[in-house]
Structures are given as C-alpha cells and as structure tokens.
C-alpha cells in the first residue's frame, strides 16, 4: 500500500507573517489525517519559520530547489546540507517552472537527484509535457525522456526513495485540470517505466503525485484513480481550508 502524499508548493508567494499563519493552521490539523503524508514547500528564506510552526507535529516540509554541490563559490545557491540543517525532509526537483523559465535540464535535475538522495532528502521529481507536445501526441515520449534523463543512474533501492510528480505544464496555474483519465493514463505509463527500468517491487512502491490546478473540489476524483498516489498543489495550497480539503480527499 502506498501512503497518500499531499504536498503544497508555495512557490514565490506569501510573506513571513502569512507563512507563520498558514503553517500553524496546517500543523494544528495534520495529526487528524495520520494516514496521509503532508508536506509544504515554502520559499527557502521562510523554511525556518515553518520549522518552528511544525515542531512536534506531523507536518513535513522541504525546499523548492537546491544546488548539487556541497559548498563553495556558488553565489545565490543553497546546499543539501543547509536544507538538512533546517530540518527539511524533502526537496522538489525539476519543476516545470525551473525547467522552462530558469532553463534547468534533465542533466541538471539528475545531478540534484543524486545529491539529494546522498544527503538523505526525499526528492519529488517533476515531469510533464507542454500543451503543444500533448497536441502533437508526444506526451509519453516527453515523459519517458524526462524520466530517463532526470532519474539516470539510480539503483532500484535509491529509486524507491524517490517521489515522482506528473505535472502537465498546460494544467499548472491555468485552472485547466487534467481529467482523472488523462492523469491516470500518464501515471500508468510512469508505473510501466518503473517496471521496465527497475522491477515490479519498485513500481509498486514509488508514489506518483498529480499536479496542475488541483483543488478541494476536484481532488477526490483524481485521487480515486489507482495510480494517483497524491497531489502536488500550487495555488490551492496557499489557503489552509482549501489545502486541508485536498488532504481530506486523500484521507481514507
Ligand atoms: P497549481 O496547483 O497552481 O496549478 O500549481 C501546480 C504546481 O505547479 C505545483 O507544483
């Protein structure tokens, strides 16, 4: 049984006061949903504030990115050790905004995945096609290339420590959510890739989240799909009630 995992990617939003208020509201309720893994991803400068609010509660947290080198002259970057120092358990890698706005390649993501696992951080590795790619019938091809490139060189054991997030780029921040069938089709393809590249045990263990315009009102039908093991939520994770509504939809 894969434990459902609901993650809130706060992106470059909120200020310190709003972060504290939101994290406290979520931390207070997290224990009521013990069967659901819940984590939030604040802007890095506010991770410490979330750490304080989440202390002693099951609310997990992590970073939206980091740099794969251990330390040194990398102005503006943050290392895995620094994230561990702040108590992070997770890091989001290869988000489409980092791929398409900030120019991250599969090779960059792959270095980060290896560094995250070596440090003991759980990477949430994002994959997803552009609208033009979907319309050209290239969805599976794009997903396969991102999977093979971003996850290259991992042992089967390392792979079981990775979470995959399928985030179709056309569904992110657009209000245009993938249908449960569209999501399930790609999740099934990812599960098949895990079997082909690794084995059945890995395929059964790895959690695959869906991301892209997930809200409390559409979460249940997405999460009901056999291969949808959770959600990576953007906009709807900025409001406690809305995010908790998604968590409740994952709660059995
Ligand atoms: P939205 O939920 O705002 O569409 O964002 C999804 C996302 O990119 C989460 O990482």
């Amino acid at each position: 049984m894969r434990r459902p995992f609901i993650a809130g990617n706060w992106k470059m939003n909120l200020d310190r006061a709003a972060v504290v208020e939101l994290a406290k509201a979520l931390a207070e309720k997290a224990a009521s949903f013990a069967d659901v893994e819940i984590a939030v991803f604040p802007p890095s400068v506010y991770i410490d504030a979330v750490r304080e609010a989440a202390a002693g509660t099951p609310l997990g947290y992590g970073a939206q990115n980091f740099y794969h080198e251990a330390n040194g002259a990398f102005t503006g970057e943050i290392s895995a050790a620094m994230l561990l120092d702040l108590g992070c358990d997770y890091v989001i890698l290869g988000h489409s905004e980092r791929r398409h706005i900030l120019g991250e390649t599969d090779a960059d993501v792959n270095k980060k995945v290896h560094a995250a696992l070596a440090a003991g951080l759980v990477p949430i590795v994002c994959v997803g096609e552009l609208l033009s790619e979907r319309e050209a019938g290239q969805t599976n091809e794009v997903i396969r290339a991102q999977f093979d490139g971003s996850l290259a060189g991992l042992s089967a054991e390392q792979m079981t420590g990775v979470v995959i997030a399928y985030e179709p780029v056309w569904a992110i921040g657009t209000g245009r959510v993938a249908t449960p069938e569209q999501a399930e089709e790609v999740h099934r393809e990812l599960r098949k890739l895990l079997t082909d590249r690794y084995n059945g045990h890995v395929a059964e263990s790895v959690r695959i989240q869906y991301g892209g315009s997930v809200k409390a009102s559409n979460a249940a039908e997405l999460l009901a799909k056999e291969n949808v093991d959770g959600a990576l939520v953007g906009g709807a994770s900025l409001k406690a009630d809305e995010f908790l509504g998604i968590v409740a939809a994952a709660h059995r």
Side-chain angles (χ1 to χ4, degrees), residues 8-58:
N9 176 7
W10 294 351
K11 308 191 180 182
M12 198 171 75
N13 292 300
L14 309 173
D15 58 18
R16 175 174 285 274
V19 160
V20 170
E21 191 185 339
L22 180 55
K24 277 189 180 159
L26 299 178
E28 213 170 88
K29 295 279 165 58
S32 324
F33 305 100
D35 59 335
V36 183
E37 194 165 325
I38 311 169
V40 294
F41 296 79
S44 297
V45 292
Y46 300 136
I47 291 174
D48 232 3
V50 170
R51 171 190 211 163
E52 215 169 287
T57 79

Side-chain angles (χ1 to χ4, degrees), residues 42-89:
S44 297
V45 292
Y46 300 136
I47 291 174
D48 232 3
V50 170
R51 171 190 211 163
E52 215 169 287
T57 79
L59 178 66
Y61 59 91
Q64 300 171 16
N65 179 40
F66 80 110
Y67 194 61
H68 64 274
E69 293 285 357
N71 53 47
F74 303 103
T75 300
E77 297 296 336
I78 296 172
S79 72
M82 293 169 188
L83 297 183
L84 291 173
D85 209 8
L86 293 172
C88 290
D89 289 317

Side-chain angles (χ1 to χ4, degrees), residues 13-251:
N13 292 300
L14 309 173
D15 58 18
R16 175 174 285 274
V19 160
V20 170
E21 191 185 339
L22 180 55
K24 277 189 180 159
L26 299 178
E28 213 170 88
K29 295 279 165 58
S32 324
F33 305 100
D35 59 335
V36 183
E37 194 165 325
I38 311 169
V40 294
F41 296 79
S44 297
V45 292
Y46 300 136
I47 291 174
D48 232 3
V50 170
R51 171 190 211 163
E52 215 169 287
T57 79
L59 178 66
Y61 59 91
Q64 300 171 16
N65 179 40
F66 80 110
Y67 194 61
H68 64 274
E69 293 285 357
N71 53 47
F74 303 103
T75 300
E77 297 296 336
I78 296 172
S79 72
M82 293 169 188
L83 297 183
L84 291 173
D85 209 8
L86 293 172
C88 290
D89 289 317
Y90 313 90
V91 64
I92 297 173
L93 296 176
H95 190 280
S96 72
E97 286 144 22
R98 297 212 58 85
R99 290 178 186 269
H100 297 294
I101 303 174
L102 295 151
E104 264 188 29
T105 64
D106 283 323
D108 295 329
V109 178
N110 186 240
K111 282 185 208 150
K112 295 182 185 198
V113 171
H114 281 276
L117 289 169
L121 289 165
V122 174
I124 299 181
V125 179
C126 305
V127 297
E129 81 287 1
L130 298 165
L131 183 59
S132 56
E133 293 166 336
R134 173 162 284 264
E135 287 175 347
Q138 296 165 343
T139 299
N140 284 351
E141 211 176 298
V142 170
I143 298 299
R144 233 176 280 140
Q146 290 177 340
F147 180 102
D148 286 335
S150 300
L151 299 167
L154 297 186
S155 68
E157 196 190 333
Q158 284 177 312
M159 192 62 223
T160 58
V162 173
V163 175
I164 298 175
Y166 168 53
E167 297 207 315
V169 180
W170 48 271
I172 296 178
T174 58
R176 187 178 164 189
V177 63
T179 65
E181 291 70 31
Q182 284 173 321
E184 175 66 7
E185 198 181 338
V186 176
H187 284 227
R188 211 183 301 119
E189 174 68 18
L190 283 163
R191 193 86 60 205
K192 185 173 166 306
L193 275 173
L194 288 164
T195 308
D196 292 350
R197 305 289 193 263
Y198 299 92
N199 56 52
H201 168 70
V202 171
E204 280 309 305
S205 309
V206 171
R207 287 172 302 173
I208 307 175
Q209 297 173 320
Y210 167 78
S213 299
V214 177
K215 300 182 289 221
S217 59
N218 61 26
E221 56 180 16
L222 287 159
L223 293 165
K225 289 293 178 190
E226 186 186 339
N227 289 294
V228 178
D229 307 315
L232 182 54
V233 185
S237 71
L238 298 172
K239 295 200 180 96
D241 287 350
E242 188 68 21
F243 187 63
L244 288 167
I246 298 167
V247 173
H251 178 55

